[in-house]
Amino acid sequence: MSDRRLSKEIELSIDRSLAKPTRIHKVATPSASQLWIKREDELSSGISGGKVRKYASLIPYLKRNGIDLVGMIGGPNSNNLVGLAQLLKENQISPFAFVREAAAPNIHGNALLLAMLLSEEERMLIPRDKWDAVEKIASEVLQQRESRGQHTHLLREGCFGVPALLGSLTLAEDILRNESELGRAFDRIYIDCGTGLSAIGLVLGLQMLLGEAAIEREIVITLIAETEARFLEKLNSMKTQLHALYPIAAYKQANLRFLKPVLSPRFGSVNKSLFQSCCNVARESGMLMDPTYSAKHFATALQDQASAKAPLLSLFVFNGSALGLMGFQDQIARSSMEGI
């Protein structure tokens, strides 16, 4: 077992019943013999993968501060809204969702789950042409609730911020445990980037636990919903905030490389090749990957791994969930039948 552990100050902020160990295994794809999979998708059956680690420090933070109403922001098919709504209700904290208006009127996918979890009184639909002002709208609504005696807290889209970052640091800690049990360190780690918090947690976590030796592992980030410049800006901001709160050393920039998805690269876009890729991964590797994030990330990692000049022991962080397949039943059905 690895003896690399997060500081006691950070540990006190994390609910370890949520931030649990996850296993690794070799990918069942002959062309990727040096690629292992980190099964973050197994952290929860009802919450998308690595988001559970964010909530492992966010929920304790909300409870410590006596928050009884949480404003959360996201699109109609947001994994974050569905996952967070479950844990807020479990912990008797009221959620209030500010949801972007859907492009189509039919309710499917995560929008269906969100409708099950939240009543009409617990959500507000924000017109698409006003979405840029959603944080201002949300702040005004919560201020009204504060005037009625409720203690409120507004979360940015994707729960981005230090309270959720602390839980994300546990991914690095658990990867070091995996490496200790394997008897080898990974040369390369692949992780995807939506808002970027999980990837930032991995980068900063390795720096905290390994110091300057963290540079020995290349972190390859698939930019699903961010740009390289914006990610680096967020990374530096989180590093500064973390350094101000906890006694950690400041290290130089990590060994980072960025990739764009090789399939349907525009965020939120899907196509026939992507759905076929979901079916191929399921049949070859036994993994149910969502098309919006994980399938794009996996195809990109496989191509990058195949182009390497020398075999590198690599780890693919599977942060997704089969829940992400909801809403794409018709497309998946057609792709699966075409393969027969």
Side-chain angles (χ1 to χ4, degrees):
M1 295 291 289
S2 171
D3 58 356
R4 305 279 188 174
R5 305 287 293 180
L6 295 170
S7 70
K8 291 182 179 179
E9 293 86 354
I10 292 176
E11 184 68 31
L12 290 172
S13 300
I14 297 170
D15 180 351
R16 284 290 177 173
S17 71
L18 293 174
K20 297 177 290 189
T22 60
R23 65 189 178 107
I24 61 172
H25 62 79
K26 293 190 74 172
V27 64
T29 302
S31 61
S33 60
Q34 292 295 302
L35 185 63
W36 290 65
I37 307 292
K38 174 79 169 155
R39 297 303 298 264
E40 292 289 280
D41 61 306
E42 295 178 344
L43 279 169
S44 170
S45 62
I47 300 174
S48 180
K51 287 182 171 47
V52 180
R53 293 195 185 275
K54 300 179 188 179
Y55 305 152
S57 55
L58 178 60
I59 295 296
Y61 169 84
L62 296 172
K63 292 169 74 172
R64 283 197 309 273
N65 286 277
I67 303 298
D68 50 38
L69 177 67
V70 170
M72 49 188 192
I73 296 170
N77 289 298
S78 166
N79 291 321
N80 181 59
L81 293 186
V82 170
L84 187 55
Q86 293 174 64
L87 284 181
L88 288 174
K89 286 182 173 283
E90 176 185 316
N91 286 275
Q92 298 182 312
I93 301 172
S94 298
F96 192 95
F98 299 88
V99 187
R100 188 183 68 246
E101 180 184 30
N106 55 318
I107 298 178
H108 63 275
N110 278 344
L112 176 61
L113 299 181
L114 195 62
M116 292 175 64
L117 287 162
L118 302 182
S119 68
E120 291 186 2
E121 290 73 30
E122 294 175 309
R123 47 197 161 102
M124 176 183 289
L125 194 64
I126 307 297
R128 298 173 74 85
D129 61 355
K130 294 184 178 180
W131 186 247
D132 288 345
V134 63
E135 288 193 13
K136 180 176 182 295
I137 295 170
S139 295
E140 291 173 352
V141 171
L142 294 191
Q143 284 175 7
Q144 294 175 4
R145 297 297 185 95
E146 286 273 355
S147 67
R148 301 175 197 167
Q150 288 185 285
H151 194 186
T152 70
H153 183 83
L154 177 61
L155 295 171
R156 295 175 61 189
E157 193 166 4
C159 297
F160 197 90
V162 170
L165 173 65
L166 299 180
S168 296
L169 298 173
T170 63
L171 173 59
E173 184 184 66
D174 200 46
I175 288 174
L176 296 183
R177 178 190 63 82
N178 293 141
E179 290 182 342
S180 177
E181 294 176 356
L182 184 63
R184 283 190 63 186
F186 290 104
D187 302 305
R188 176 181 291 166
I189 301 173
Y190 292 97
I191 190 166
D192 61 348
C193 170
T195 61
L197 194 65
S198 292
I200 289 170
L202 173 62
V203 172
L204 297 182
L206 288 175
Q207 289 186 336
M208 292 174 69
L209 295 166
L210 296 175
E212 294 183 353
I215 199 76
E216 297 170 4
R217 290 166 180 77
E218 181 186 38
I219 310 299
V220 183
I221 300 170
T222 303
L223 296 167
I224 304 292
E226 274 293 6
T227 64
E228 178 178 341
R230 181 61 178 147
F231 176 85
L232 292 174
E233 179 184 329
K234 287 181 172 182
L235 172 62
N236 290 329
S237 174
M238 287 292 98
K239 181 188 292 186
T240 300
Q241 292 180 57
L242 200 62
H243 182 67
L245 293 171
Y246 298 96
I248 61 172
Y251 298 106
K252 296 179 180 179
Q253 185 59 274
N255 182 7
L256 305 180
R257 183 160 58 89
F258 298 90
L259 299 173
K260 292 182 179 179
V262 297
L263 295 176
S264 196
R266 184 170 59 85
F267 178 59
S269 66
V270 292
N271 58 29
K272 184 177 179 180
S273 297
L274 188 56
F275 292 122
Q276 190 60 59
S277 179
C278 290
C279 293
N280 292 341
V281 170
R283 289 173 178 173
E284 292 177 4
S285 305
M287 294 183 291
L288 298 173
M289 291 190 170
D290 67 279
T292 309
Y293 284 93
S294 299
K296 292 183 181 184
H297 179 35
F298 192 56
T300 305
L302 286 179
Q303 180 172 297
D304 186 69
Q305 190 77 351
S307 66
K309 294 180 179 179
L312 292 174
L313 188 66
S314 301
L315 181 67
F316 175 89
V317 179
F318 182 10
N319 261 333
S321 166
L323 284 175
L325 292 167
M326 288 188 61
F328 298 107
Q329 292 95 323
D330 292 343
Q331 297 96 319
I332 293 292
R334 284 194 294 269
S335 294
S336 63
M337 291 299 291
E338 288 174 3
I340 295 176

